[in-house]
Amino acid sequence: MIQHKMDIPSASAVNYHDADEVCGYQLLLCKIFEREGGLNYPPTTNRLTAAIKREGKIWLREVKKSVAELFASPITSEDFGIGLEDIPRILESYDFFYRICHGAACNEFIRDIVLKSANRYVKGDKSITQAQVALMLLKGMERNILTMEDRYLTFSVKEMECWVNDLERTGKIAHVSENDSYDILNYLLIQDLFAFGIKRDVKLRWIKSYTLSDEVLDSLETKTFLRYIRFNQASEFIAGKSLEEKEAHYISLFSRIAGREDINPFLKEVLAIDLAKYRTA
């Protein structure tokens, strides 16, 4: 495990055609940056935080190149590595890392890629789901609603209305995959849904409906399990658990997934850092 005085991994060693590696590297460096106090106010500055910003700028440049290559290729291209379905999580990683490295948002680049992704979907590239396109557009609206085309505004808001209505009627979101369900919930749980008449008690019902037993958790694919962890993180302020309950819960979740063989080494390091934090809290 990376210790305080050890060097961080080089951005030059990352395979930028592997979305798991791209996002895992970003998460690891951001986790170390947070641990070192880089997200504090005022932020802590030391050798590690400076190195993370330096490597981060290399990562940002290379990710931008890989994304540009994806959109320069035909829709029918195969085996490129990064696919349209990877764009949502890559953009989230890019956005946060850009803010760390540059102290500002990268709204123009994010908007450009969101619209290119939506246009590809409209033109027939169904490697990304309708729900993921809608989520990207909704997040784009939060950045600047004035830069979004009317057709995309209408589409994404209608999708959101359908999700909320499904949850209200049945407690589940209809016609979406399990992965998309958790991504949608992770978005809805942190939104102010007052316009829909949604209050805390309603969100608690949604959380209960999507909370899984330990037996079911162990049967989840790793990508779904990772989304489930984010679902728990989005739920924690609504559920009102004590600090001790949260720590015990996260130790259980992280321990269950950390030993899986299909976890990227960078993500394994992140899980090790989190486990160490909660076990020594």
Side-chain angles (χ1 to χ4, degrees), residues 75-91:
I75 289 179
T76 55
S77 65
E78 297 179 355
D79 300 325
F80 176 77
I82 287 177
L84 197 60
E85 69 276 11
D86 297 313
I87 290 298
R89 60 183 175 135
I90 287 175
L91 286 186

Side-chain angles (χ1 to χ4, degrees), residues 6-192:
M6 291 182 67
D7 291 333
I8 60 172
S10 169
S12 300
V14 175
N15 177 3
Y16 289 95
H17 288 167
D18 182 333
D20 289 340
E21 192 160 323
V22 166
C23 295
Y25 180 84
Q26 178 267 359
L27 190 57
L28 174 57
L29 264 64
C30 290
K31 181 65 65 175
I32 298 171
F33 191 81
E34 177 187 20
R35 187 189 65 185
E36 293 296 310
L39 299 181
N40 294 348
Y41 186 81
T44 299
T45 301
N46 59 30
R47 183 184 63 83
L48 265 183
T49 59
I52 287 168
K53 288 184 177 183
R54 183 175 62 251
E55 295 299 321
K57 289 175 181 177
I58 297 171
W59 182 94
L60 290 166
R61 183 184 69 233
E62 295 301 319
V63 168
K64 198 169 185 177
K65 284 166 54 178
S66 287
V67 171
E69 289 174 19
L70 169 65
F71 286 101
S73 66
I75 289 179
T76 55
S77 65
E78 297 179 355
D79 300 325
F80 176 77
I82 287 177
L84 197 60
E85 69 276 11
D86 297 313
I87 290 298
R89 60 183 175 135
I90 287 175
L91 286 186
E92 285 195 14
S93 298
Y94 190 98
D95 181 30
F96 191 69
F97 217 176
Y98 190 95
R99 292 171 188 266
I100 283 178
C101 295
H102 296 284
C106 52
N107 289 339
E108 186 174 343
F109 172 71
I110 298 290
R111 175 185 177 275
D112 179 58
I113 300 305
V114 167
L115 293 180
K116 283 181 177 178
S117 300
N119 287 334
R120 278 215 166 183
Y121 176 80
V122 169
K123 290 178 180 178
D125 189 339
K126 297 303 187 282
S127 60
I128 189 170
T129 66
Q130 183 168 306
Q132 291 296 339
V133 173
L135 283 169
M136 282 199 296
L137 290 168
L138 287 165
K139 293 171 185 177
M141 286 169 53
E142 293 175 3
R143 291 173 174 276
N144 188 348
I145 194 171
L146 298 177
T147 66
M148 204 63 64
E149 297 177 31
D150 287 345
R151 60 174 175 156
Y152 289 142
L153 286 173
T154 302
F155 160 74
S156 54
V157 170
K158 282 186 176 179
E159 283 295 295
M160 184 174 177
E161 289 175 351
C162 288
W163 301 334
V164 172
N165 289 338
D166 285 344
L167 285 164
E168 279 294 88
R169 287 196 307 269
T170 67
K172 296 288 185 179
I173 305 166
H175 311 302
V176 299
S177 68
E178 191 171 27
N179 285 342
D180 282 353
S181 290
Y182 281 112
D183 284 341
I184 291 167
L185 278 169
N186 294 342
Y187 175 78
L188 292 178
L189 288 174
I190 62 173
Q191 300 302 309
D192 181 353

